[in-house]
Amino acid sequence: MGVYNRAPLEVERGQGVRLWSTDGTEYLDCVSGISTNALGHAHPKLVQAVKDQAEKLWHVSNIFKIPGQDALADDLCAKSFADVVFFTNSGTEAIECALKTARKYHVANGQPERIDIYGFDGSFHGRTYGAINAAANPSYTEGFGPKMEGFHQLKWGDKDALTAAFENPTAAAIVLEPVQGEGGCRATPEEDLRWMREMADKHGVLIIFDEVQCGMGRTGKLWAHEWAGMTPDIMAIAKALGGGFPIGACLATAEAAKGMTVGVHGSTFGGNPLAMAVGKAAFDEVSSDAILNNVNEVAGYLKQQLHGLAERFPDVIVEVRGKGLLLGVKLVPNNREFMGWARDEAKLLVAGGGDNLVRVLPPLNITLEEAREAVEKFEKACEFARTKVAG
């Protein structure tokens, strides 16, 4: 189906932070599968995990116990707020599980009328029905029938509206990305996240965090909400969890998940042995101090350099945003055109984003030397963009 506006680039292979097209052209990849290839392309430990497991067992379905699920779930719970995990194949499936978990929680508490889910403008939670209604972005919901009951969109940063949502007696949960990805790399202030936790506890509302893009080390801590010193009740993760292999997970406290009893949810492929083997290998690497320290070091350098470029190219760059290695550069020229200029003129791959920005999303193990190369290429793209803007 013609649903993708693809770039005119056919990729053949990748290694680390580099991609090669079918014609042999080399690119520096600061898209990382949209924040997914957290360890770059063809990481040897992930490749070996696939090979080893592929020779043993791929799929049996969840009618049997799968030891790899226990191993990865134990690791996730040990390094997060969560007590329980449900494995999926993608981030949007993890969000669906999170939404169902929140509503089931209130049913278990004898309050089935508490169905209202509040999301925020600029958010992105995936493409399934529940996910697009939770984000309520018109460009994703239009043409797919009436809005689903019980889903509401708040304006990002509108504290009065959020207060009213918390106080609504039929409120079930709020869902947000601590750092928005596609919506424009906006980070919710840490004091606001702590206030949300207080309000949620006061009014019996659950907090769902979507850390599909901003989690798994992307901001310099394993989970983006750790910067605020608070925790959600439920969290959706995916992308970097498999380092490029399709895995997602819904994490929750035992209390929040108490309505998720036998038979109320399931997945054919979720938590399959092959995915669990790769996920375990990826999580071991991404959650290591070495990777997290590298993110903070390289992110500090990249952000400083991008701010420097913003000062030198005010006719091209409006603002630098983001946290860790989830960086957004708001532009004067059209962001889609800039992506093409960066690709064709500088051999640099960057991702698009809302509010006319491009996202810089390198692998978490990118070296400082590779980061310097990325800055040089971004500068070259800015120089080319300047001639286009002037023209």
Side-chain angles (χ1 to χ4, degrees):
M1 296 184 183
V3 296
Y4 294 113
N5 183 22
R6 290 189 168 106
L9 169 61
E10 291 186 358
V11 291
E12 181 177 48
R13 63 187 178 91
Q15 184 67 53
V17 73
R18 302 184 191 280
L19 277 176
W20 286 267
S21 63
T22 52
D23 65 5
T25 304
E26 179 183 312
Y27 297 87
L28 194 70
D29 182 11
C30 286
V31 177
S32 300
I34 311 181
S35 193
T36 299
N37 303 320
L39 299 172
H41 299 283
H43 189 280
K45 289 187 178 179
L46 304 194
V47 171
Q48 194 61 49
V50 172
K51 288 180 176 179
D52 291 345
Q53 186 61 42
E55 292 177 346
K56 294 191 292 185
L57 185 67
W58 289 20
H59 175 75
V60 291
S61 93
N62 285 297
I63 62 174
F64 301 111
K65 292 191 70 174
I66 299 171
Q69 288 185 11
D70 292 336
L72 183 52
D74 285 346
D75 285 352
L76 287 168
C77 290
K79 293 189 176 183
S80 76
F81 68 94
D83 303 306
V84 292
V85 179
F86 181 86
F87 289 110
T88 67
N89 311 286
S90 64
T92 195
E93 291 173 67
I95 284 290
E96 291 290 327
C97 181
L99 299 172
K100 291 173 72 174
T101 300
R103 284 184 168 175
K104 268 290 189 179
Y105 166 78
H106 293 292
V107 171
N109 282 343
Q111 297 177 299
E113 72 281 2
R114 301 194 73 157
I115 66 166
D116 289 305
I117 308 287
Y118 293 90
F120 297 86
D121 69 314
S123 60
F124 180 78
H125 302 302
R127 301 282 191 159
T128 51
Y129 268 114
I132 62 174
N133 278 272
N137 184 330
S139 65
Y140 297 135
T141 58
E142 286 177 0
F144 295 110
K147 294 180 180 179
M148 291 178 68
E149 184 179 0
F151 287 90
H152 313 275
Q153 187 190 72
L154 304 175
K155 186 172 178 58
W156 188 85
D158 188 338
K159 205 167 185 178
D160 290 340
L162 184 52
T163 297
F166 277 123
E167 293 174 347
N168 179 5
T170 59
I174 64 165
V175 55
L176 73 153
E177 302 155 273
V179 184
Q180 287 188 343
E182 183 171 312
C185 297
R186 298 186 297 188
T188 300
E190 292 166 15
E191 60 271 22
D192 287 359
L193 292 177
R194 290 190 288 269
W195 171 81
M196 288 180 197
R197 181 69 274 170
E198 293 172 5
M199 290 292 285
D201 291 340
K202 179 180 179 181
H203 296 286
V205 177
L206 298 181
I207 293 179
I208 301 170
F209 278 164
D210 178 342
E211 294 216 14
V212 169
Q213 184 166 161
C214 65
M216 290 288 295
R218 178 59 57 180
T219 66
K221 288 187 182 291
L222 187 56
W223 313 116
H225 64 262
E226 289 185 85
W227 291 103
M230 52 78 71
T231 59
D233 302 288
I234 306 169
M235 181 169 69
I237 61 174
K239 288 188 181 288
L241 181 59
F245 197 93
I247 311 173
C250 178
L251 283 62
T253 64
E255 174 65 14
K258 68 182 182 182
M260 300 299 279
T261 54
V262 173
V264 303
H265 196 51
S267 172
T268 295
F269 293 108
N272 67 79
L274 192 54
M276 294 299 93
V278 183
K280 180 75 168 63
F283 187 73
D284 286 348
E285 286 294 304
V286 170
S287 63
S288 69
D289 289 341
I291 288 292
L292 297 177
N293 290 338
N294 187 70
V295 170
N296 286 300
E297 181 182 10
V298 175
Y301 169 79
L302 273 178
K303 203 161 191 178
Q304 179 188 51
Q305 294 298 310
L306 289 173
H307 277 294
L309 290 179
E311 292 177 1
R312 290 179 50 208
F313 294 92
D315 50 338
V316 177
I317 297 175
V318 177
E319 182 185 4
V320 178
R321 302 176 185 166
K323 208 163 192 172
L325 291 180
L326 202 173
L327 294 170
V329 181
K330 185 174 180 179
L331 299 168
V332 174
N334 179 272
N335 62 340
R336 296 289 166 179
E337 288 187 327
F338 186 91
M339 290 163 61
W341 300 334
R343 180 189 67 241
D344 298 337
E345 304 299 324
K347 302 300 180 281
L348 173 69
L349 304 179
V350 291
D355 203 19
N356 198 47
L357 58 74
V358 293
R359 283 173 288 173
V360 181
L361 306 168
L364 306 186
N365 56 354
I366 185 174
T367 65
L368 271 175
E369 183 178 350
E370 290 165 339
R372 290 189 188 98
E373 184 182 349
V375 171
E376 291 171 0
K377 289 178 178 294
F378 202 97
E379 180 180 11
K380 185 175 182 180
C382 287
E383 289 171 347
F384 187 83
R386 171 171 278 170
T387 65
K388 290 294 186 178
V389 170

